[in-house]
Amino acid sequence: MSSLRSFLRLFFVGGLISYRALFNWLRPSIYIPTMLGAPIFQILFFTYLGRFRDLESDSWFVVGNAVQSCSMAAVYAGTMTIANERWMGTLSPLLASPANRAALFLGRSVPLIANGLFVSAVGLGVSSLLLDFHPAASSLPALGLVVAVSAGSCTGFGLLLGSIGLRARDVLFGANLAYFLMLLFCGVNVPLDALPAWMEAIGRALPLTHGIEAAREVAAGAALGEVAGLVWTEVGIAVAYGASAYFLFSYFERESRRRASLETM
Amino acid sequence: MKTLRLLALGWGLHFKMLSRSAFDGVLGVMWPLFFATIAFFMFRAGGGGATLLYAALGASVMGIWSATAVAASSALQRERWQGTLELLVAAPSHFSLVLLPITLAMATIGVYSMAATLLWGRFLFGIEIHLEHPLLFVLAVPVTVGSIGMLGFLLSVTVVRYRTAWALGNAFEYPVWLVCGFLVPLSLLPGWVRPISWALAPTWGIRAIREAALGGAPVADLAICAGLGACYAAAGILLVETVLRSARAHASLSLS
């Protein structure tokens, strides 16, 4: 019982504290322009470009970019919440502690999913005021679920990058690169069938792709059951990236103890 | 002569430093390539009459603005972190002559991304780069780069007292891409946006570059672009004085 309580405490309280301490962009003066302002202008930019090219509807671009904006929080924050332990010199005490690694690791993902959900919701809300995007109120709960799942898979991906940060020097460079690759490969602004086959194949293995597809169908009026296949695929991708991140973290932890390379910058 | 030497040395020094930074150099070139690729796919998949060269030119100037906006907004913060801001302010040269080469070097990094975008479009997407007025095109590029550098200079001075200025630089990226008509014609935007577009030199720069490449009369656009760049420089120099006087009076140069 006490071990369960300790697990839960570490999961919730530890996750929240680490998010507050290690996510560099939490201050409103950074959070508002970066996490809210930039995604809103991204939505506007690509929606107007889509109108100019007569490519897809406003709704198609709004949903794609709003769901994609949850990846900004998830990928960057996921990377920061692990890699910053090293930069701030708190990694050694953390790994010397007997804390349950699964609770430590999974607890960090909850605030990131909530953050991603919030960022996407703001993007969708502002778009409904400025653009031709008016989803039915009944579709919002399903849309929220799809965005939460997408944020979860992006968080898994971000934690994987963060785990690499236990070894790599400049992991934020990698996070930037991954973020832009997702923008290109995941069918956010270019329909997947307009991409070369190899890009589409990579996109199908990345987080977001299936989530965006599901969200677009839900916003167009489909029931959650009709997009269950896409949502479960996104869940599977989230689990795969999350598990890979956990095992990589454990591996690098063991290796860095063995090679005394924990604090090597 | 001394002034020119200072500007040239400062530009060279900062250009070298930025070129060797993975974040400002490598990513600064790669970032616009991602957006250019998205734009090429969108232009190819969609309807309408604009050519891929239209997209390539717009995407290439987007790269110049990206390289400038983020780096310029954090230029003084960077000096502050490195502990060199006080030394630069205390130097006998006017501070704007120290700051100008930094933002010009940032805009020059953008020329890398411009060249990379055009070559990317040529070799991966088969975009023929046929220039209607080659000489005017060659003139339009440095004038646009210089004006964007001046806009970066004004931005860096304006946000000097703002602790998290780099975040503002990020936030300015998409809005300028949009309102300057790099890829989306201004006629598609709401009417109230146009006066904002007209006040921004990149709007005239991209128009001049496009008219030089695709056909048209770019000279007037070039003149407006250069004129606006000069206005930004003058405004920045005046603002530097005010900001530095205030920072000295409040002893807040390294605190803000």
Side-chain angles (χ1 to χ4, degrees):
Chain A
M1 189 61 189
S2 106
S3 66
L4 177 67
R5 199 165 50 229
S6 146
F7 182 96
L8 289 175
R9 198 166 65 88
L10 190 57
F11 181 86
F12 287 109
V13 180
L16 187 63
I17 288 176
S18 72
Y19 176 68
R20 289 176 60 190
L22 299 172
F23 182 43
N24 294 345
W25 300 351
L26 206 52
R27 202 184 300 169
S29 59
I30 302 176
Y31 192 91
I32 292 170
T34 307
M35 282 281 160
L36 303 180
I40 288 168
F41 280 104
Q42 179 185 323
I43 292 170
L44 290 172
F45 177 77
F46 283 110
T47 305
Y48 273 101
L49 186 55
R51 281 183 188 177
F52 173 48
R53 299 310 302 160
D54 199 15
L55 192 54
E56 296 282 352
S57 66
D58 276 16
S59 173
W60 194 89
F61 285 100
V62 168
V63 174
N65 285 283
V67 176
Q68 189 268 341
S69 67
C70 79
S71 74
M72 186 197 281
V75 170
Y76 288 115
T79 307
M80 286 176 192
T81 50
I82 295 182
N84 274 356
E85 295 279 9
R86 192 180 184 204
W87 285 101
M88 294 182 183
T90 48
L91 188 59
S92 303
L94 179 78
L95 296 186
S97 75
N100 182 301
R101 297 295 187 259
L104 186 79
F105 204 77
L106 293 174
R108 292 178 183 221
S109 62
V110 177
L112 306 185
I113 294 171
N115 191 349
L117 196 56
F118 174 69
V119 169
S120 293
V122 170
L124 290 170
V126 173
S127 300
S128 70
L129 298 173
L130 300 177
L131 296 164
D132 187 17
F133 173 64
H134 309 289
S138 57
S139 71
L140 294 182
L143 200 54
L145 178 72
V146 173
V147 174
V149 170
S150 304
S153 63
C154 291
T155 301
F157 189 59
L159 292 173
L160 178 65
L161 294 171
S163 299
I164 295 170
L166 289 184
R167 180 64 59 89
R169 275 168 202 265
D170 193 359
V171 75
L172 267 181
F173 178 79
N176 270 296
L177 206 58
Y179 177 74
F180 297 126
L181 282 174
M182 287 166 77
L183 193 61
L184 178 59
F185 283 71
C186 294
V188 180
N189 293 299
V190 183
L192 282 177
D193 55 14
L195 292 174
W198 65 271
M199 288 178 79
E200 185 181 346
I202 292 174
R204 296 254 173 233
L206 287 172
L208 273 186
T209 308
H210 300 87
I212 288 176
E213 219 172 316
R216 281 182 180 137
E217 289 188 29
V218 167
L224 192 56
E226 293 172 55
V227 294
L230 289 169
V231 176
W232 281 114
T233 307
E234 190 73 24
V235 171
I237 288 173
V239 171
Y241 278 109
S244 306
Y246 177 73
F247 288 116
L248 200 63
F249 183 86
S250 305
Y251 171 73
F252 281 144
E253 181 185 348
R254 275 196 313 275
E255 277 295 291
S256 53
R257 282 174 197 265
R258 195 172 65 79
R259 299 168 57 175
S261 59
L262 203 59
E263 300 290 357
T264 312
M265 292 291 195
Chain B
M1 198 62 193
K2 259 187 179 175
T3 303
L4 284 178
R5 187 170 166 274
L6 178 62
L7 287 173
L9 277 176
W11 175 84
L13 182 71
H14 288 286
F15 184 70
K16 276 188 205 166
M17 285 198 294
L18 290 168
S19 302
R20 278 155 186 73
S21 153
F23 207 86
D24 295 317
V26 181
L27 208 61
V29 174
M30 289 178 71
W31 186 337
L33 290 185
F34 286 113
F35 287 101
T37 307
I38 293 170
F40 294 152
F41 278 123
M42 287 179 77
F43 270 67
R44 195 185 259 180
T51 61
L52 278 175
L53 182 55
Y54 177 97
L57 294 169
S60 64
V61 182
M62 279 161 62
I64 302 177
W65 173 245
S66 294
T68 309
V70 180
S73 56
S74 54
L76 289 184
Q77 192 69 30
R78 195 190 316 230
E79 300 294 340
R80 191 176 279 131
W81 284 337
Q82 289 168 348
T84 47
L85 183 60
E86 293 86 343
L87 296 174
L88 293 176
V89 170
S93 311
H94 194 280
F95 187 63
S96 57
L97 293 178
V98 176
L99 193 54
L100 260 172
I102 301 179
T103 53
L104 278 175
M106 289 159 183
T108 316
I109 286 285
V111 178
Y112 273 152
S113 74
M114 183 176 198
T117 305
L118 291 175
L119 290 173
W120 186 260
R122 175 72 192 89
F123 292 114
L124 267 80
F125 291 84
I127 302 171
E128 293 287 344
I129 304 169
H130 173 73
L131 306 175
E132 288 288 330
H133 308 293
L135 285 178
L136 285 172
F137 183 83
V138 170
L139 182 64
V141 171
V143 169
T144 305
V145 169
S147 298
I148 292 178
M150 296 304 157
L151 184 56
F153 167 63
L154 181 59
L155 178 66
S156 66
V157 176
T158 309
V159 297
V160 66
R161 301 293 298 273
Y162 193 59
R163 239 179 237 264
T164 50
W166 62 269
L168 280 184
N170 274 334
F172 282 141
E173 200 166 29
Y174 278 110
V176 171
W177 285 0
L178 187 61
V179 302
C180 290
F182 289 156
L183 288 179
V184 180
L186 297 182
S187 55
L188 283 185
L189 303 178
W192 59 266
V193 174
R194 280 183 219 151
I196 302 171
S197 309
W198 296 333
L200 292 168
T203 306
W204 305 98
I206 182 63
R207 274 174 70 159
I209 287 175
R210 277 214 179 101
E211 284 173 6
L214 305 172
V219 177
D221 296 320
L222 261 183
I224 298 172
C225 181
L228 281 171
C231 291
Y232 301 150
I237 290 167
L238 289 175
L239 205 59
V240 160
E241 287 292 332
T242 314
V243 168
L244 286 187
R245 203 178 307 118
S246 162
R248 281 178 167 151
H250 295 94
S252 61
L253 192 61
S254 58
L255 300 178
S256 51

